[in-house]
Amino acid sequence: MKLIPIPAFVDNYIWMLHDGRRALVVDPGDSEPVLAALQDGGLTLETILVTHHHNDHTGGVDALRQATGAKVYGPALEHMPEPLTRLNDGDVIEVLGLHFEVLLVPGHTAGHIAFFGQVPSQDPVLFCGDTLFSAGCGRLFEGSPAQMLTSLTRLAALPDATRVCCAHEYTLSSLRFALAVEPDNADLQAYQAKAQVLRNQHQPTLPSSIALEKCVNPFLRTHLPSVAHAVQRQAANATDAVSVFAALRTWKDQF
């Protein structure tokens, strides 16, 4: 199985997974780059996975369905381009011979889902949409800080080797904020240097991994004194897990 981030718009990635013949794509906001990748690879699109309703993740679904006949899967609780198979937390689907578990991860949107899959002889893969970014997390457009904290904690509990396939190339900007929170974090410093080299070469910084994110992502580290104390210097009333997370997200929004 080959995992490919297809660039779209300014900073989106449409993830493609294929076996050399059959392919799935995740969150195709634009059909054109997907159709081009299919043609270049001689691939047949069988499946479209959608994590949430925002147009930069769904805008290409109808055109791809019409062009390829691909089957569409998406969240049960959000408005989606019909027809599709709607998925709830804990559902398991089989696509390309792989099993993907559906995780309900509200916060960025109310019904956001993620897809966690085991790939034979490879590390697991997580398609997390806009819930988790490398060194960051999505804005809280519809959900609460408590919901997003629960969602991120759930993702952080996945196997360390899991490949984290975020839907945006936000890594460098997220790292700038993360270093403002934890300026002495050596893992952050090393990751920033590596990510900068990749972007200078016009290469993606993704996928990340759960192991790396637990070392560098402040939104997965709010339980640690180094993060909590930094947040409390910004918001003295941040005293429990949820208020620390909420204050951290507000700090990032204003950064």
Side-chain angles (χ1 to χ4, degrees), residues 52 64 85 130 184 196 202 232 240:
H52 66 292
L64 287 173
T85 298
D130 286 356
D184 299 324
Q196 187 66 65
H202 306 289
Q232 286 160 356
D240 62 276

Side-chain angles (χ1 to χ4, degrees), residues 178-249:
L179 282 163
V181 179
E182 291 188 283
D184 299 324
N185 183 330
D187 292 319
L188 265 173
Q189 295 165 1
Y191 185 36
Q192 185 188 47
K194 178 181 177 181
Q196 187 66 65
V197 169
L198 288 170
R199 295 310 293 153
N200 288 346
Q201 297 171 347
H202 306 289
Q203 296 296 312
T205 61
L206 302 168
S208 180
S209 71
I210 292 295
L212 175 60
E213 293 308 309
K214 290 194 292 189
C215 292
V216 303
N217 193 320
F219 296 97
L220 302 186
R221 295 167 59 82
T222 54
H223 60 289
L224 298 176
S226 57
V227 175
H229 292 162
V231 171
Q232 286 160 356
R233 287 193 290 272
Q234 302 287 324
N237 61 343
T239 55
D240 62 276
V242 173
S243 62
V244 167
F245 181 87
L248 181 67
R249 185 60 252 186

Side-chain angles (χ1 to χ4, degrees), residues 125-145:
V125 61
L126 172 70
F127 298 118
C128 52
D130 286 356
T131 296
L132 176 62
F133 298 130
S134 190
C137 75
R139 287 180 179 266
L140 304 184
F141 287 122
E142 299 172 13
S144 68

Side-chain angles (χ1 to χ4, degrees), residues 23-235:
L24 68 80
V25 294
V26 186
D27 287 347
D30 186 0
S31 63
E32 292 304 319
V34 175
L35 292 170
L38 293 169
Q39 183 173 6
D40 289 346
L43 303 169
T44 299
L45 182 64
E46 288 194 353
T47 306
I48 299 169
L49 306 180
V50 183
T51 63
H52 66 292
H53 67 82
H54 287 161
N55 189 63
D56 64 321
H57 296 250
T58 64
V61 169
D62 285 337
L64 287 173
R65 187 197 293 108
Q66 292 166 13
T68 68
K71 187 170 183 178
V72 183
Y73 296 88
L77 304 178
E78 299 199 353
H79 179 72
M80 286 281 124
E82 298 284 356
L84 81 161
T85 298
R86 292 185 172 273
L87 301 172
N88 291 289
D89 187 53
D91 285 346
V92 176
I93 59 172
E94 183 176 344
V95 295
L96 304 187
L98 307 175
H99 289 88
F100 283 87
E101 180 184 356
V102 177
L103 308 174
L104 180 63
V105 285
H108 181 66
T109 64
H112 198 302
I113 60 174
F115 298 88
F116 173 72
Q118 300 282 355
V119 183
S121 303
Q122 296 182 20
D123 291 330
V125 61
L126 172 70
F127 298 118
C128 52
D130 286 356
T131 296
L132 176 62
F133 298 130
S134 190
C137 75
R139 287 180 179 266
L140 304 184
F141 287 122
E142 299 172 13
S144 68
Q147 285 179 309
M148 184 62 108
L149 177 59
T150 298
S151 296
L152 292 174
T153 300
R154 186 176 188 186
L155 296 183
L158 294 172
D160 279 353
T162 301
R163 292 172 286 175
V164 178
C165 300
C166 317
H168 289 272
E169 182 58 74
Y170 287 164
T171 304
L172 286 179
S173 61
S174 293
L175 284 168
R176 285 192 289 273
F177 174 70
L179 282 163
V181 179
E182 291 188 283
D184 299 324
N185 183 330
D187 292 319
L188 265 173
Q189 295 165 1
Y191 185 36
Q192 185 188 47
K194 178 181 177 181
Q196 187 66 65
V197 169
L198 288 170
R199 295 310 293 153
N200 288 346
Q201 297 171 347
H202 306 289
Q203 296 296 312
T205 61
L206 302 168
S208 180
S209 71
I210 292 295
L212 175 60
E213 293 308 309
K214 290 194 292 189
C215 292
V216 303
N217 193 320
F219 296 97
L220 302 186
R221 295 167 59 82
T222 54
H223 60 289
L224 298 176
S226 57
V227 175
H229 292 162
V231 171
Q232 286 160 356
R233 287 193 290 272
Q234 302 287 324

